[in-house]
Amino acid sequence: MKSLVKAELDELVAGLHRVSRNLWWTWDQEAQEIFGELSPRGWQNLYHNAVAILHEVSDYELRVRLQDGVLADRVRRVVASFEAYLNEAPTWGDEHAPTLMEHPVAYFSAEFGFHETLPIAAGGLGILAGDHAKSASDLDIGFVGISLFYREGYFQQTVDANNWQTEFYDRLNPANLPVEPVLDMHGQPLICEVDIALSKVRFKAWRANVGRVPVYLLDADLPENEQAHRDLTLHVYGGDSNTRIMQEMLLGIGGVKLLRALDVQPSVFHMNEGHAAFLTLELMREKLEHGTTVADALARTKAECVFTTHTPVEAGHDRFSAELLDFAMHKFRAQLRVPFEDLVALGRVNPKNPKEPFCMTVLALKLSRSANAVSELHGQVSREMWQCLYPGRSVAEVPIGHITNGVHTLGWLKGPVRKFWRRKLSDEAAQHAATKGLEQDAAFWQLKAKSNWKTLLNRPEFWENVDGKETAFWQLKSKTTWKTFLNTREFWENLADPEFISDEEIWALRYQLRRELLEFTRRRLLLQHQRLAHGDFIRFDSLLNNDALTIGFARRFATYKRAPLIFQQFESIVRLAHDQKRPVQFVFAGKAHPRDEAGKRFIQQIIHLSKYSGLQGHLVFIENYDVHIARTMVSGCDVWLNNPRRPLEASGTSGMKAAANGCLNFSILDGWWREAYDGQNGFAIGADAHVKDVEEQDRIDSENLFRTLTEEIIPCFYRRDELGVPREWIAKIRHAFVTIVPQFSTGRMVQEYTEKYYVPE
Ligand SMILES: *Cc1c(COP(=O)(O)O)cnc(C)c1O
């Protein structure tokens, strides 16, 4: 094979660096495989960090390695596919939201969860924001994200000798992250400032490239700021309400200032939860500065803003005392030129009540042109909750709608699942078509496997196919790459066809995924145990069973999510775990908020059971829940358990990730699952109703949970035919693909936001 000349090498190396600096690679399997192979151990130890890998592997080594023609070809293909992604045209956004191209949506969120290497999310809210940005990129709508660059991120969890959660922080190194400094015209860091309390707080910004869209992360860690202000961007939701209000001023007011400094003029400001609501005050200030009335500034600001509320839990709504607001806004208020009474009133249900604290959700509701909750039931609950703000209107008339959450499907598929679909959709799809006697189709599929849709447009085979059988399917297929296609029901209907994928193949994939989870879990437990180095002895070789029905539970340990609920029927659960023929086992993970004692007690209780009870070896708790653990668990478990106290789960998203990987949901009919469950695509706990009394609810739910588990789930999972395949179980997996994956995706969700809220007709 001919060796590469210098110019070609330069191009490949530069291309690989460009790819590493864009989070696109986090949802591209081929790119990940290349980074992983460059340094397999580094990939594991650096926690799947493409930027760090390119520091670990020297430039010299990289150039030597690229003399391997096969690797060079693969790199060339990945870089080309990245460029094609960035330049694809026309896009959904071109067609459906052309006005956003020049005047984008500015999406403000206190947290963004993109990947395990950038841990600046505390939970589902941030993960949703990250998935929103990824799908905004896929669809190509005009979009910029705004958040904070927390230099120590969200806390890392360990568990001490008393099984008590303890928190520690690692400093992030921007040089090893897919972010770049935002520079001014002189090539120096762009500096903006916000008035907070009595000071001018200066900040710079980092730009995370999420495919085609930027997300700007504000960073107050500048030497000229006093320490307390530098620390505003230290931890996600760090400190007391003092820190909190100042963080939110930085986010809301600072975010608008940064956009102006970058000359980005959004047509709509989207507040993802109330944390960002101070942006409305800065928008008002701008208008008042140009000499208008408060009423006019308010009306025009309202016309620019939309708001998504995310929780029916009281403590989830930020509230600040009027004194604190007065203090934190001391300087800013003078510029705003709104009397303090009027300012506080914007955050009060009853403006005249001097005792009522200032609520960020109230501010956001009063200053947005539309507001939405994140599932149908949550919409209902939110309308009841905020009816007080709309005197004279019935609950149904309260102007809060709903758009149910989704997930960025491709990003949540585990590697083997992506590879599975890739294989099915290239060579095997061609064979499939050939055996069905569709020779034309076979040629088409082969072509499709080799090229993207743009080249296809010039091929006669393509047009012949558009005319052919299964027209709707082919038309869709012809318009998009398989990745965008993931959001369509037709796609999943075709894939879930038993003639295309056999039960055996799905079952083999499920086994592979379970094994990956269990091996990962054993390794993690070994590390957890080593670190503790106390006397307890767990036999790692006998920990968990590769054939057992594996039930997963992982999420924030907020008490309303009731992590230990399943262990209420303790004796019976132990019996199920020890059943020789039909064993059940449990994998748990999750963090409690650092100040949530009750949540920490839940963690303690579960770890205690895993170490000292009859569940030893059948129950494990993996420390330090994050995106990587989430992806491994939602794919490797057979059943995904969710038992929140209804109706407190606004939506939930982890179950959507599970469905996409062939793991079946087992959940209370709350949030998204209430909309998704159809009797066949997973399992329900109880009915579409709940009682008010909390203890009564816990008792009923626990009973229903146990009944569904023993009467439906275990028998179905273990009902095998002579080949050992659980046909009914697999039928459910197929049905879940079709009914859940396309619908509960951020692809669908961002389209809905765009059409209903960003560019309404
Ligand atoms: C998906 C996800 C969540 C949200 O899970 P829910 O079940 O919706 O609460 C939280 N944390 C991480 C790391 C996730 O990936």
Side-chain angles (χ1 to χ4, degrees):
M1 193 176 274
K2 194 168 126 300
S3 63
L4 291 180
V5 299
K6 179 162 182 313
E8 288 171 306
L9 266 178
D10 288 347
E11 210 179 295
L12 288 184
V13 170
L16 211 48
H17 277 275
R18 270 201 313 283
V19 169
S20 78
R21 293 267 165 199
N22 189 310
L23 285 154
W24 173 83
W25 67 260
T26 64
W27 67 92
D28 187 82
Q29 186 61 28
E30 286 84 350
Q32 282 172 41
E33 283 165 15
I34 288 172
F35 291 117
E37 282 169 40
L38 283 175
S39 167
R41 203 29 94 125
W43 185 246
Q44 195 175 70
N45 293 343
L46 298 166
Y47 216 32
H48 326 123
N49 183 336
V51 179
I53 286 288
L54 292 187
H55 292 155
E56 158 74 20
V57 177
S58 70
D59 194 50
Y60 178 77
E61 177 181 344
L62 188 57
R63 284 161 183 274
V64 173
R65 299 276 298 273
L66 286 171
Q67 290 299 346
D68 171 351
V70 176
L71 181 66
D73 267 346
R74 285 170 56 204
V75 171
R76 206 172 281 123
R77 269 205 306 278
V78 162
V79 174
S81 136
F82 173 57
E83 306 290 349
Y85 175 86
L86 295 183
N87 299 315
E88 180 202 356
T91 60
W92 187 89
D94 289 332
E95 205 175 311
H96 294 85
T99 54
L100 295 181
M101 289 302 172
E102 208 179 324
H103 297 291
V105 181
Y107 180 92
F108 284 57
S109 179
E111 38 172 317
F112 270 95
F114 296 116
H115 186 253
E116 52 266 30
T117 51
L118 190 53
I120 54 169
L125 178 71
I127 304 292
L128 180 82
D131 283 3
H132 193 123
K134 290 171 188 173
S135 287
S137 166
D138 289 348
L139 294 165
D140 191 29
I141 62 166
F143 179 98
V144 289
I146 295 282
S147 190
L148 302 183
F149 183 78
Y150 305 97
R151 66 185 181 277
E152 294 190 354
Y154 195 55
F155 77 88
Q156 312 270 328
Q157 176 193 54
T158 60
V159 173
D160 70 13
N162 298 317
N163 303 326
W164 194 249
Q165 169 180 300
T166 47
E167 298 93 28
F168 73 96
Y169 292 86
D170 277 337
R171 197 178 166 100
L172 302 179
N173 175 5
N176 263 350
L177 293 172
V179 296
E180 53 195 52
V182 176
L183 305 176
D184 64 16
M185 54 203 276
H186 309 294
Q188 296 301 313
L190 178 71
I191 307 286
C192 302
E193 58 185 35
V194 191
D195 287 327
I196 297 180
L198 304 171
S199 312
K200 284 204 175 309
V201 175
R202 288 156 55 89
F203 64 88
K204 58 185 174 180
W206 302 91
R207 177 187 160 119
N209 295 306
V210 186
R212 286 185 267 226
V213 308
V215 173
Y216 295 102
L217 306 172
L218 281 49
D219 182 354
D221 187 27
L222 291 172
E224 59 267 36
N225 287 336
E226 56 185 82
Q227 194 60 42
H229 293 147
R230 296 178 72 159
D231 289 350
L232 290 180
T233 49
L234 183 61
H235 297 154
V236 183
Y237 307 130
D240 53 13
S241 47
N242 217 9
T243 311
R244 193 76 177 243
I245 194 172
M246 294 185 184
Q247 284 187 324
E248 294 184 4
M249 287 180 72
L250 182 61
L251 174 69
I253 300 169
V256 175
K257 293 206 167 202
L258 177 75
L259 290 172
R260 300 307 187 209
L262 293 167
D263 199 22
V264 176
Q265 309 301 348
S267 56
V268 46
F269 292 82
H270 186 168
M271 295 172 264
N272 187 44
E273 192 53 301
H275 311 126
F278 285 142
L279 72 84
T280 59
L281 301 184
E282 173 63 10
L283 293 177
M284 280 182 66
R285 190 202 60 75
E286 289 179 338
K287 294 173 180 65
L288 289 166
E289 191 179 18
H290 291 105
T292 181
T293 62
V294 172
D296 177 62
L298 209 135
R300 279 164 50 208
T301 298
K302 187 169 166 153
E304 291 176 304
C305 296
V306 302
F307 169 55
T308 303
T309 177
H310 283 269
T311 179
V313 179
E314 261 310 308
H317 299 269
D318 271 327
R319 288 187 168 85
F320 303 114
S321 72
E323 294 72 42
L324 180 56
L325 185 76
D326 188 19
F327 170 67
M329 295 257 164
H330 198 84
K331 254 177 105 109
F332 177 75
R333 203 147 68 60
Q335 302 167 17
L336 185 59
R337 290 177 245 175
V338 174
F340 187 65
E341 276 59 54
D342 297 349
L343 174 59
V344 196
L346 293 174
R348 279 183 179 151
V349 177
N350 175 5
K352 305 241 155 46
N353 177 1
K355 296 219 178 62
E356 188 182 322
F358 183 93
C359 176
M360 296 299 276
T361 308
V362 173
L363 174 66
L365 285 169
K366 286 190 180 178
L367 275 152
S368 49
R369 69 175 185 224
S370 48
N372 71 288
V374 292
S375 71
E376 187 185 54
L377 183 61
H378 179 225
Q380 175 66 25
V381 171
S382 301
R383 285 188 289 278
E384 283 164 22
M385 204 166 165
W386 298 110
Q387 188 189 13
C388 51
L389 271 179
Y390 308 89
R393 296 203 206 182
S394 69
V395 168
E397 287 163 353
V398 171
I400 302 178
H402 80 272
I403 291 182
T404 305
N405 284 164
V407 293
H408 183 253
T409 309
L410 205 53
W412 287 106
L413 295 182
K414 189 77 179 157
V417 184
R418 289 185 193 150
K419 286 187 228 176
F420 179 81
W421 291 127
R422 183 170 73 193
R423 196 185 75 216
K424 297 302 293 183
L425 287 167
S426 48
D427 312 348
E428 285 187 35
Q431 280 167 19
H432 172 68
T435 54
K436 279 178 123 181
L438 311 170
E439 277 77 16
Q440 264 181 4
D441 284 8
F444 175 79
W445 276 106
Q446 260 150 14
L447 209 82
K448 185 86 196 75
K450 291 208 197 80
S451 51
N452 70 27
W453 71 274
K454 275 186 284 187
T455 27
L456 276 182
L457 282 178
N458 301 322
R459 306 291 296 243
E461 299 92 309
F462 166 76
W463 293 105
E464 280 157 22
N465 266 285
V466 172
D467 240 349
K469 312 164 189 64
E470 300 164 328
T471 309
F473 178 66
W474 288 113
Q475 264 162 1
L476 253 161
K477 186 106 193 71
S478 66
K479 282 210 207 99
T480 50
T481 64
W482 76 272
K483 294 176 187 181
T484 15
F485 216 22
L486 282 172
N487 298 321
T488 66
R489 183 164 171 134
E490 286 86 346
F491 178 78
W492 288 95
E493 270 167 358
N494 273 275
L495 294 192
D497 178 356
E499 277 194 51
F500 183 54
I501 314 167
S502 68
D503 286 353
E504 286 78 1
E505 279 175 300
I506 292 182
W507 195 226
L509 177 67
R510 294 296 318 150
Y511 249 77
Q512 185 186 352
L513 293 166
R514 192 188 313 117
R515 172 166 290 278
E516 262 192 39
L517 166 69
L518 300 187
E519 290 182 352
F520 169 81
T521 305
R522 291 183 189 116
R523 205 175 85 84
R524 277 294 179 97
L525 260 88
L526 192 63
L527 294 170
Q528 289 172 203
H529 189 68
Q530 275 173 352
R531 210 197 46 249
L532 271 177
H534 55 56
D536 306 335
F537 186 68
I538 297 173
R539 289 199 38 220
F540 290 95
D541 52 346
S542 68
L543 192 67
L544 302 172
N545 173 345
N546 297 328
D547 299 303
L549 170 63
T550 306
I551 299 180
F553 181 103
R555 45 185 57 84
R556 284 184 306 116
F557 267 50
T559 43
Y560 76 86
K561 295 187 185 243
R562 299 186 295 188
L565 188 74
I566 192 166
F567 304 117
Q568 279 197 357
Q569 317 237 4
F570 188 69
E571 304 303 322
S572 316
I573 290 289
V574 171
R575 246 193 334 275
L576 294 179
H578 287 266
D579 188 313
Q580 292 295 318
K581 288 218 183 78
R582 307 192 306 175
V584 177
Q585 62 192 3
F586 305 90
V587 181
F588 273 63
K591 295 175 175 178
H593 187 277
R595 284 191 299 276
D596 180 5
E597 295 284 310
K600 290 185 183 183
R601 265 198 303 281
F602 279 0
I603 291 175
Q604 186 179 41
Q605 196 182 337
I606 286 167
I607 300 180
H608 192 89
L609 291 179
S610 76
K611 287 181 175 170
Y612 306 111
S613 80
L615 288 176
Q616 194 194 87
H618 308 273
L619 162 66
V620 293
F621 182 88
I622 308 177
E623 290 173 15
N624 209 20
Y625 184 51
D626 67 2
V627 170
H628 178 60
I629 298 177
R631 197 184 293 104
T632 308
M633 285 182 68
V634 294
S635 56
C637 292
D638 298 292
V639 167
W640 195 247
L641 174 64
N642 191 16
N643 43 236
R645 195 170 276 144
R646 190 179 132 136
L648 297 184
E649 182 89 317
S651 166
T653 53
S654 59
M656 306 170 186
K657 305 166 192 169
N661 286 285
C663 165
L664 293 176
N665 278 277
F666 172 29
S667 171
I668 298 273
L669 292 173
D670 196 7
W672 79 281
W673 186 237
R674 185 179 157 269
E675 291 159 48
Y677 178 65
D678 70 356
Q680 299 301 319
N681 55 4
F683 305 93
I685 301 171
D688 183 9
H690 61 273
V691 296
K692 282 256 167 356
D693 181 76
V694 169
E695 272 164 39
E696 175 77 351
Q697 198 182 358
D698 289 359
R699 196 185 53 72
I700 296 174
D701 289 345
S702 155
E703 263 174 38
N704 284 330
L705 187 161
F706 194 72
R707 182 171 326 113
T708 304
L709 178 61
T710 50
E711 291 176 10
E712 292 183 49
I713 297 179
I714 296 175
C716 183
F717 183 81
Y718 284 108
R719 206 171 294 134
R720 309 284 163 90
D721 67 3
E722 63 278 9
L723 291 171
V725 181
R727 305 278 168 195
E728 288 163 51
W729 189 265
I730 292 167
K732 284 185 187 293
I733 292 176
R734 282 182 204 283
H735 189 58
F737 282 156
V738 177
T739 54
I740 295 174
V741 185
Q743 178 63 18
F744 297 93
S745 69
T746 40
R748 183 273 310 155
M749 184 191 85
V750 173
Q751 290 185 11
E752 238 183 291
Y753 273 108
T754 305
E755 288 170 343
K756 287 191 185 155
Y757 291 142
Y758 298 161
V759 283
E761 256 116 357

